[in-house]
Amino acid sequence: METQVTQKGLDAYWMPYTSNRQFKADPRMIVGAKGAYYIDDKGREIFDGLSGLWTCGMGHNHPEIAQAVGKQLSELDYAPAFQFGHPKAFELAERLTELTPQGLNRIFYVNSGSEATDTATKIARAYWRVNGQPTKTRIIGRAKGYHGASWGGISYGGIGGNRKIWGQAMEADHLPHTWQPSQAFSQGMPKTGAELADELLELIALHDASNIAAVIVEPMSGSAGVIVPPEGYLQRLRELCSQHNILLIFDEVITGFGRTGNYFASQTFGVTPDMICSAKQITNGTVPMGAVMVQDDIYQAYMAAAGAAHNIELPHGYTYSGHPVACAAALTTLDLLEKHQFIPRVAELSPHFERAIHTLKGAQHVVDIRNFGFAAGISIAHRDGDPAIRPFEIAQKLWQSGFYVRYGGDTIQLGLPFCTELNEMDRLVDAMGDAINSVS
């Protein structure tokens, strides 16, 4: 199974979100996958501790998805999304509305999480315009928030490394993140910090609600290192948005379709937003796809403002919106989530994962552990002023030991496959302890 990648090939590919020089000096090639494991070019099985990139919660290479995709390719490989349709797009939309929180019954298809957040924020801004309030344009994000790599995503996103080199983007402002030192080593939702939602009042005082279109947050921040919302925080944010006539958008690109033990984190945390952004797990990572779930009154406002029936109500979309192959993969993914009861399984086994991951408290360099559902983040102490070096070294040691995890900033991040067995959780945590304790 030796890789056939040439040096010319290595040189040609400019890899995304990757330290290209380091990787190309020591490539880590994945050539196969099955269940909760990758296979590298040396034939080793590597436990997938992040479900791909939070994408493959059901594990890899389900034959049912492959069969559905192959069948769809043989019947209808592509259909135009503008002014025409195909049956599976409508079938999937109906299925999704049966799973979303009440009222989120309009589905707009995209191809990625970045496109989902761009779409939701565009819908929000134009919603106020068609409602006669065109000054409501500003989007409020949150520090440490990740909403994709587009111009919109880096504007209302709040991760400094994703913003600093690009220069001026669109108008946005940011709430503070919810992590506080007093919350360190919280198991699940921190008990304190709900009052941080009131920082929105400061931004309203600064910009005025008449100029704010929407607040967009991840219910649980993933890329920042799994920052879990304090108890009551999201409820207060919902209350303030409603009071001040501001739309609330939840970016559930990571949490959607099972990660927290429900189909959506909004259900887990008991808060219904005006829109939900989803992607990744919607097809189990097999075919690029995303969807924005929208409250009916937003959709109806566009319909009412469009004039003649032949006018286009929302001048927005993508060539591959609702692609037939992606829809086939998504429908089969939903079937398998239900058939194998993967989401109840996450809820059932999350307490074991919580206990296991918190046994790393006390390991050298570990300054915090956060968890919820099948997600966890571990903050690692900086070395010589470099926040990223220890997480990088820990992740490389884990890869050598047969485990794949994500490292970003000063964190190690886990997003377990929903099919993970208890002994696999324990093996992963033990290996993490060994790797953490081995770095200087």
Side-chain angles (χ1 to χ4, degrees), residues 56-275:
C56 310
M58 301 191 305
H60 297 278
N61 286 7
H62 283 270
E64 297 93 334
I65 298 178
Q67 291 162 9
V69 166
K71 183 173 184 291
Q72 184 61 50
L73 280 168
S74 68
E75 294 175 356
L76 177 65
D77 58 348
Y78 178 80
F82 306 163
Q83 305 286 15
F84 296 88
H86 63 89
K88 279 189 169 57
F90 299 94
E91 180 185 354
L92 176 59
E94 181 179 2
R95 288 280 298 278
L96 291 173
T97 61
E98 293 169 353
L99 303 174
T100 54
Q102 186 174 3
L104 290 155
N105 60 358
R106 304 293 177 171
I107 309 298
F108 194 97
Y109 293 123
V110 297
N111 307 292
S112 68
S114 295
E115 290 182 4
T117 60
D118 269 8
T119 295
T121 51
K122 286 178 72 174
I123 288 173
R125 287 177 57 150
Y127 167 74
W128 295 115
R129 182 171 291 273
V130 302
N131 270 342
Q133 300 180 68
T135 63
K136 290 174 71 68
T137 59
R138 189 174 295 273
I139 306 298
I140 304 296
R142 189 168 59 189
K144 293 187 179 291
Y146 181 76
H147 303 294
S150 65
W151 277 114
I154 66 165
S155 300
Y156 38 80
I159 296 179
N162 295 338
R163 295 165 53 88
K164 65 182 181 181
I165 71 170
W166 307 115
Q168 183 63 40
M170 63 179 285
E171 60 177 3
D173 210 333
H174 298 81
L175 292 162
H177 62 77
T178 62
W179 186 86
Q180 299 175 304
S182 62
Q183 300 168 349
F185 299 102
S186 293
Q187 298 188 19
M189 299 177 74
K191 305 297 183 185
T192 60
E195 70 282 355
L196 291 170
D198 287 335
E199 293 293 325
L200 179 59
L201 294 172
E202 298 297 321
L203 295 180
I204 292 171
L206 175 64
H207 300 294
D208 196 78
S210 65
N211 297 310
I212 301 173
V215 170
I216 181 168
V217 296
E218 302 158 281
M220 176 182 73
S221 298
S223 295
V226 185
I227 300 178
V228 183
E231 292 181 359
Y233 173 86
L234 294 174
Q235 285 80 358
R236 179 59 175 160
L237 203 58
R238 171 74 276 181
E239 179 184 347
L240 292 173
C241 286
S242 298
Q243 286 176 1
H244 293 275
N245 214 24
I246 297 169
L247 297 179
L248 179 60
I249 302 167
F250 277 0
D251 179 346
E252 295 221 35
V253 171
I254 283 177
T255 54
F257 301 100
R259 181 63 50 192
T260 65
N262 279 292
Y263 275 96
F264 297 98
S266 54
Q267 296 159 332
T268 302
F269 298 132
V271 178
T272 300
D274 299 294
M275 285 182 266

Side-chain angles (χ1 to χ4, degrees), residues 36 52 63 140-141 157 172 244 297 332 345 359 365 412:
I140 304 296
H244 293 275
D297 59 346
T332 307
R345 191 174 191 277
T359 63
H365 314 310
I412 297 289

Side-chain angles (χ1 to χ4, degrees), residues 353-386:
F353 179 49
E354 178 174 271
R355 290 190 295 271
I357 198 66
H358 279 274
T359 63
L360 295 175
K361 181 179 179 180
Q364 67 171 349
H365 314 310
V366 172
V367 297
D368 189 24
I369 299 170
R370 301 165 299 280
N371 72 282
F372 198 92
F374 266 22
I378 301 174
S379 293
I380 304 296
H382 302 187
R383 186 173 74 205
D384 299 328
D386 186 343

Side-chain angles (χ1 to χ4, degrees), residues 7-74:
Q7 186 61 50
K8 186 176 180 180
L10 282 170
D11 293 342
Y13 180 23
W14 193 346
M15 299 172 69
Y17 278 117
T18 297
S19 48
N20 278 255
R21 293 162 299 166
Q22 189 281 327
F23 177 89
K24 292 172 183 181
D26 183 21
R28 298 172 293 281
M29 292 292 182
I30 297 168
V31 299
K34 185 173 179 59
Y37 292 83
Y38 281 119
I39 302 169
D40 75 359
D41 57 347
K42 301 175 180 61
R44 300 186 309 142
E45 287 193 341
I46 310 291
F47 181 78
D48 182 1
L50 195 70
S51 302
L53 276 173
W54 311 95
T55 47
C56 310
M58 301 191 305
H60 297 278
N61 286 7
H62 283 270
E64 297 93 334
I65 298 178
Q67 291 162 9
V69 166
K71 183 173 184 291
Q72 184 61 50
L73 280 168
S74 68

